[in-house]
Amino acid sequence: MGKSSIFVTEPTMPEMQEYITEISDLWNSRQLTNSGRKHIELQQKLTEYLNVKNVSLFANGHLALEAAIQALKLSGEIITTPFTFASTTQAILRCGLKPVFCDIKSDDYTIDCNKIENYITENTSAIIPVHVFSNLCDVEKIQEIANKHKLKIIYDAAHSFGESYNGTSIGQFGDITMFSFHATKVFHTVEGGCLTFSDKKLVNILDEIKQFGQSSTSSLFAHLGTNAKMSEFHAAMGICNLRHLNDYITKRKNIVLKYRSRLTKKPGIHLSPIKKEIEYNYSYFPILFNTNEGGNIRDAVYTELAKNNIYAKKYFSPLTSDFKCCKKMNIKAFVPNARYISERILVLPCYPDLDLENIDTICDIILNT
Ligand SMILES: *Cc1c(COP(=O)(O)O)cnc(C)c1O
């Protein structure tokens, strides 16, 4: 094709000058990290944008997830899904807990609420469901189950920044919600992430965990902490990106609508349903080759796209339950839907600067393979 490569995603960038203006104060203040002015400003702006009570910023989403598990003092077993990025399962394991894998729904790939209760034992302390691509979990049913069994809920909302469910910000559900601000996400700070939550008591604990466990009010080290602070340069990138976010999401929406218009009626291809109660951020566009031989078709399409310098992604494959770290601990997973989907799914390029013409090229290849 002779054209430059198209990847599954491409980070958004503000105008260079906008970022330079944003960071120029730092040469005077010389406060480069440890909750400086940019950090405080981004935290306030995100509290408003996400319409939540509290936001705690982190160096990345993964450390935020580990901090959430620690702050809620979880123990024993956590019910989660294996159809996710490595981070969700690894955070549970690195905190010394056991992930218990529940299967996902075949239409939108989120946790199957009808199966959660089968996995609850006296050792279960929490559920960590994952909002997948831009599909949201059944937050109401999950809350009912958690109330009934006195379990905590931490949502992995790495894919779902800015989404809402029946008009309520997705950051308001569960005990804590984690958003990732990695460069490839809908909203980013290069590397970064945050936790949102209602319980004010968590503010200090989380501040301490991300700062080596040091108490914010004394010189004591009350927790076994880590270093998970967001720097001023990262916060400044977030302030810039947030200004343009609504425009980025509109562009993503147009891309997704164009894909859907070309692929919706194709037999053998399943697209996630559009639900009227969800306000989407259009973070990813997955298609499922929903036939017995779907895995072979998926692989053939992937290869054909790559020949044209278009790099789709087999995401999420493998399942995290197949990782060596789980096998070594003899952690079993009976997850037939997750396995079926993981073998047949392909995430197509979707980012604000993707040309609409390229979508035609991609769809032509899919429809002709
Ligand atoms: C990106 C991602 C994470 C981890 O976020 P980082 O900011 O990269 O640490 C966790 N879970 C899911 C589902 C993700 O996509």
Side-chain angles (χ1 to χ4, degrees):
M1 220 160 73
K3 277 211 260 173
S4 57
S5 299
I6 295 173
F7 295 99
V8 73
T9 186
E10 183 184 277
T12 55
M13 296 285 264
E15 291 294 324
M16 197 192 290
Q17 194 52 50
E18 183 182 347
Y19 183 65
I20 291 171
T21 304
E22 199 59 52
I23 58 173
S24 57
D25 308 349
L26 300 173
W27 269 258
N28 291 325
S29 75
R30 299 287 164 129
Q31 180 165 16
L32 307 186
T33 185
N34 290 37
S35 198
R37 277 200 220 152
K38 300 292 167 196
H39 184 283
I40 292 167
E41 182 181 340
L42 180 63
Q43 194 165 285
Q44 281 166 349
K45 293 208 153 112
L46 289 175
T47 307
E48 278 167 42
Y49 189 90
L50 294 170
N51 191 21
V52 290
K53 292 217 172 82
N54 301 286
V55 169
S56 186
L57 299 177
F58 281 83
N60 57 62
H62 178 80
L63 285 170
L65 200 51
E66 290 194 8
I69 292 170
Q70 188 181 352
L72 292 179
K73 303 186 171 62
L74 303 184
S75 62
E77 299 174 356
I78 306 225
I79 298 171
T80 185
T81 54
F83 190 71
T84 181
F85 184 55
S87 171
T88 327
T89 303
Q90 291 188 349
I92 295 168
L93 286 167
R94 284 174 54 87
C95 290
L97 309 181
K98 183 182 170 191
V100 174
F101 293 111
C102 179
D103 207 358
I104 58 174
K105 288 187 285 176
S106 53
D107 63 340
D108 70 0
Y109 324 134
T110 62
I111 193 164
D112 185 344
C113 294
N114 294 324
K115 296 188 178 141
I116 293 176
E117 285 187 300
N118 299 343
Y119 294 100
I120 297 177
T121 72
E122 58 190 21
N123 296 323
T124 309
S125 61
I127 310 170
I128 303 190
V130 184
H131 300 305
V132 183
F133 306 130
S134 55
N135 300 329
L136 298 179
C137 299
D138 190 336
V139 287
E140 285 162 350
K141 241 190 226 156
I142 293 170
Q143 191 64 56
E144 268 173 40
I145 295 168
N147 291 348
K148 185 168 154 201
H149 298 274
K150 299 201 167 50
L151 303 176
K152 301 282 187 194
I153 306 167
I154 300 173
Y155 280 106
D156 181 334
H159 291 185
S160 289
F161 185 89
E163 296 196 286
S164 61
Y165 181 85
N166 277 332
T168 303
S169 163
I170 202 60
Q172 289 187 21
F173 294 93
D175 294 277
I176 300 185
T177 295
M178 180 278 281
F179 294 100
S180 163
F181 305 157
H182 183 257
T184 56
K185 303 297 202 288
V186 167
F187 166 75
H188 80 85
T189 61
V190 185
E191 288 274 3
C194 82
L195 298 176
T196 64
F197 48 94
S198 301
D199 183 359
K200 220 176 155 203
K201 288 198 292 296
L202 291 171
V203 173
N204 280 343
I205 301 170
L206 291 169
D207 281 346
E208 291 167 16
I209 292 171
K210 71 175 113 168
Q211 161 78 332
F212 302 102
Q214 182 166 28
S215 164
S216 40
T217 50
S218 74
S219 56
L220 290 176
F221 288 77
H223 300 280
L224 175 60
T226 183
N227 181 359
K229 304 183 301 289
M230 180 184 284
S231 85
E232 290 293 274
F233 286 80
H234 293 86
M237 182 60 110
I239 291 168
C240 294
N241 278 329
L242 197 59
R243 284 188 196 116
H244 306 285
L245 190 64
N246 291 343
D247 176 43
Y248 295 153
I249 292 176
T250 304
K251 287 182 171 153
R252 285 178 176 279
K253 179 175 183 177
N254 291 335
I255 287 160
V256 167
L257 291 180
K258 170 123 195 188
Y259 271 129
R260 292 189 79 100
S261 74
R262 295 228 30 212
L263 299 173
T264 295
K265 296 220 170 80
K266 167 83 176 160
I269 289 183
H270 168 81
L271 307 180
S272 304
I274 298 264
K275 298 187 181 174
K276 60 180 184 326
E277 61 268 31
I278 299 177
E279 189 174 323
Y280 291 94
N281 66 1
Y282 306 95
S283 50
Y284 295 86
F285 189 74
I287 65 172
L288 182 73
F289 295 91
N290 195 19
T291 60
N292 282 340
E293 358 30 290
N296 294 332
I297 302 170
R298 188 267 309 259
D299 292 349
V301 167
Y302 174 88
T303 305
E304 198 53 37
L305 288 170
K307 278 189 206 154
N308 289 275
N309 294 328
I310 298 165
Y311 300 95
K313 207 164 169 191
K314 299 174 192 178
Y315 196 53
F316 300 102
S317 177
L319 299 176
T320 63
S321 50
D322 289 339
F323 286 8
K324 245 193 188 148
C325 53
C326 289
K327 295 280 177 212
K328 264 202 216 152
M329 293 180 66
N330 202 24
I331 295 171
K332 302 254 176 354
F334 178 68
V335 286
N337 284 343
R339 196 163 297 288
Y340 178 93
I341 291 158
S342 171
E343 286 165 359
R344 290 168 178 80
I345 200 156
L346 194 63
V347 175
L348 302 180
C350 179
Y351 50 87
D353 289 337
L354 181 64
D355 280 337
L356 290 176
E357 292 162 37
N358 289 323
I359 298 173
D360 277 323
T361 312
I362 293 166
C363 292
D364 289 343
I365 291 171
I366 292 167
L367 296 171
N368 294 323
T369 300

